[in-house]
Amino acid sequence: MNLTTEQKKTVVASFLGWTLDAFDFFLLTFLLTDIATEFQTDVPAVSKALFLTLATRFIGAFFFGMLADKYGRKPILMLNIVSYSVIGALAAFSPNLGIFLALRALFGIAMGSEWGLGSSLAMESIPPGARGMVSGILQCGYPAGYLLAAVAYGLLYGQRVGDFTIGWRAMFLLSFAPALIVLFIRSHVPESPAFVEGRSQARPGLLETLRKHWGIALYAVVLMMFFNFFSHGTQDLYPTFLKKQHGFDPHTVSWITIVANIGAIVGGLAFGALSEKIGRINAITLACVIALPAIPLWAYTTTPFMLAIGAFIMQVAVQGAWGVIPVHLNELSPGSVRATLPGFIYQAGNLAASYGGPYQAGIAEAPGGSYGYALALFAGVVAVCIIIVIRFSPERRGQVMTVLDREAGAIPGKM
């Protein structure tokens, strides 16, 4: 993968933005039981914060994406990172559950645009032959953020600093850290060459583009709904499953989650690179097939060692499939709205899947239910759905990216 120094810095900035975005999101998944205890409620009630964060992300993808298509990827990415950092940290000061949920909804708006902005900036800045590997690298930011959250939880949570014990509120203050990336972006990352090239030329707006390409946009939203069920359905409640169903301590929960996210990073890198050889659709299909035999090991074994092996394999599959998504959606998107459309489609799918967390928790805590059953049900059904749906996707591997629509005009308007 031959990239210039500037291109490498762009990839690093986009990766770090998504990594620390995910870090802020996944901190919550380790703290659900503690927040429920303080606010004298149950886990399903607090898990509505997951729903609200996911449900509002499409607003941010649309709003910040429109700004980036007008003013540039770089300055709006910087604004976005500062926004989600500050709002994420404010959750530490929530006086009650209602305020906490409201802040997580606002966090979702800020979080929702980072993926679209970072991926469009990176994909427009690199050679076509490097996109598969870079796609895997970018998507690995998500499990890398989860891994960082697991490490922070394992090392810091419950530790005493003088007379102070680090609890869930202090953990949320770590959300301030991503704002430091802005300094790096401002000094070292150039604007997207495609945006600079087409800045002075007339381009169609989002609504006009959606009218022209409504078929592929609708299809992609459905696809991303299943993808978001796949990731959040296998990740968000897994620490709670380990704590409540198995009674593991924070250290054990932390290292099992770390192993899972190492698997996610391996999967994202491997399948992102593989997609350059066998195609985007085939790589996603293969990853989802691998998830199915991993379910018994991942959800129904009882020892930490076996659960860790199952979690590793499952996340190789889940994030292996996801590792292809940044490049696949950017290649399918018309250039004039590339900062808006992929992120909006991704987050619209998130909206459709946003109630998955509370729904899973409800299944798990219903009479006769369990967290293992709820996790296995989601993983199995959704993996099969993705295998079926992805086979209908157009393949645009190697698409030349500009902000003009002369190449993207070949994208079909309907299936």
Side-chain angles (χ1 to χ4, degrees):
M1 187 174 66
N2 296 320
L3 301 179
T4 67
T5 300
E6 286 190 339
Q7 288 170 341
K8 290 177 182 177
K9 290 178 178 178
T10 299
V11 173
V12 168
S14 299
F15 171 81
L16 289 176
W18 191 223
T19 296
L20 294 176
D21 195 343
F23 171 80
D24 283 1
F25 175 81
F26 281 113
L27 274 177
L28 173 60
T29 68
F30 291 93
L31 304 170
L32 291 172
T33 55
D34 306 276
I35 297 169
T37 299
E38 176 158 340
F39 292 143
Q40 299 180 343
T41 186
D42 55 19
V43 170
V46 179
S47 70
K48 290 179 181 176
L50 298 172
F51 156 67
L52 290 170
T53 300
L54 299 178
T56 56
R57 279 163 62 166
F58 83 101
I59 300 173
F62 179 80
F63 175 71
F64 285 98
M66 292 284 282
L67 291 177
D69 278 324
K70 184 175 182 179
Y71 298 109
R73 295 21 172 162
K74 175 180 173 178
I76 305 306
L77 179 61
M78 293 165 59
L79 173 63
N80 173 244
I81 291 173
V82 171
S83 298
Y84 78 66
S85 298
V86 172
I87 296 170
L90 287 176
F93 304 99
S94 303
N96 53 56
L97 181 60
I99 298 297
F100 179 80
L101 294 177
L103 286 169
R104 295 309 288 181
L106 291 174
F107 173 76
I109 294 175
M111 179 186 185
S113 57
E114 201 289 331
W115 184 91
L117 298 177
S119 65
S120 62
L121 177 61
M123 292 300 162
E124 291 176 348
S125 301
I126 61 174
R131 286 189 201 137
M133 177 59 76
V134 170
S135 178
I137 291 172
L138 293 184
Q139 197 58 39
C140 281
Y142 204 60
Y146 198 172
L147 189 151
L148 285 178
V151 171
Y153 179 73
L155 292 178
L156 299 177
Y157 186 79
Q159 298 298 312
R160 292 191 64 83
V161 181
D163 295 329
F164 177 74
T165 300
I166 297 175
W168 70 265
R169 293 182 184 275
M171 295 297 291
F172 275 112
L173 291 177
L174 296 174
S175 297
F176 276 124
L180 299 175
I181 307 173
V182 170
L183 301 176
F184 174 77
I185 295 174
R186 186 174 185 274
S187 301
H188 298 285
V189 177
E191 181 56 87
S192 156
F195 177 81
V196 172
E197 177 190 350
R199 181 181 305 179
S200 60
Q201 303 184 44
R203 290 169 281 159
L206 179 63
L207 294 180
E208 181 182 345
T209 303
L210 286 176
R211 281 196 298 269
K212 186 178 179 182
H213 304 292
W214 65 268
I216 193 64
L218 180 60
Y219 166 81
V221 169
V222 173
L223 178 66
M224 295 316 299
M225 175 187 72
F226 287 123
F227 260 89
N228 281 292
F229 274 133
F230 202 29
S231 61
H232 293 287
T234 58
Q235 293 172 329
D236 293 2
L237 292 180
Y238 205 69
T240 303
F241 158 70
L242 296 173
K243 287 193 288 185
K244 293 200 70 172
Q245 188 162 319
H246 292 285
F248 296 146
D249 57 60
H251 174 74
T252 303
V253 173
S254 173
W255 77 255
I256 292 175
T257 308
I258 289 170
V259 170
N261 282 285
I262 291 172
I265 293 170
V266 170
L269 292 174
F271 281 89
L274 185 63
S275 74
E276 286 295 339
K277 298 181 179 180
I278 68 173
R280 317 304 187 203
I281 296 169
N282 289 335
I284 290 171
T285 302
L286 178 61
C288 291
V289 168
I290 291 172
L292 296 173
I295 290 174
L297 196 62
W298 170 70
Y300 288 111
T301 52
T302 57
T303 66
F305 179 74
M306 296 304 292
L307 286 166
I309 293 175
F312 179 90
I313 298 171
M314 177 59 72
Q315 292 307 318
V316 165
V318 172
Q319 293 303 321
W322 264 101
V324 186
I325 287 298
V327 64
H328 189 49
L329 288 188
N330 274 274
E331 286 175 337
L332 293 180
S333 176
S336 60
V337 290
R338 191 170 291 117
T340 307
L341 193 58
F344 180 75
I345 286 171
Y346 173 8
Q347 304 304 354
N350 237 331
L351 173 63
S354 59
Y355 204 70
Y359 184 64
Q360 260 188 311
I363 293 173
E365 300 206 351
S370 72
Y371 277 90
Y373 169 72
L375 290 164
L377 178 66
F378 264 61
V381 171
V382 174
V384 172
C385 288
I386 293 176
I387 291 170
I388 294 170
V389 174
I390 194 61
R391 305 312 301 178
F392 294 93
S393 175
E395 175 88 38
R396 299 291 296 172
R397 182 170 31 146
Q399 163 85 2
V400 177
M401 290 188 184
T402 72
V403 296
L404 304 177
D405 285 344
R406 55 181 178 269
E407 298 87 10
I411 299 175
K414 53 186 178 181
M415 303 306 298

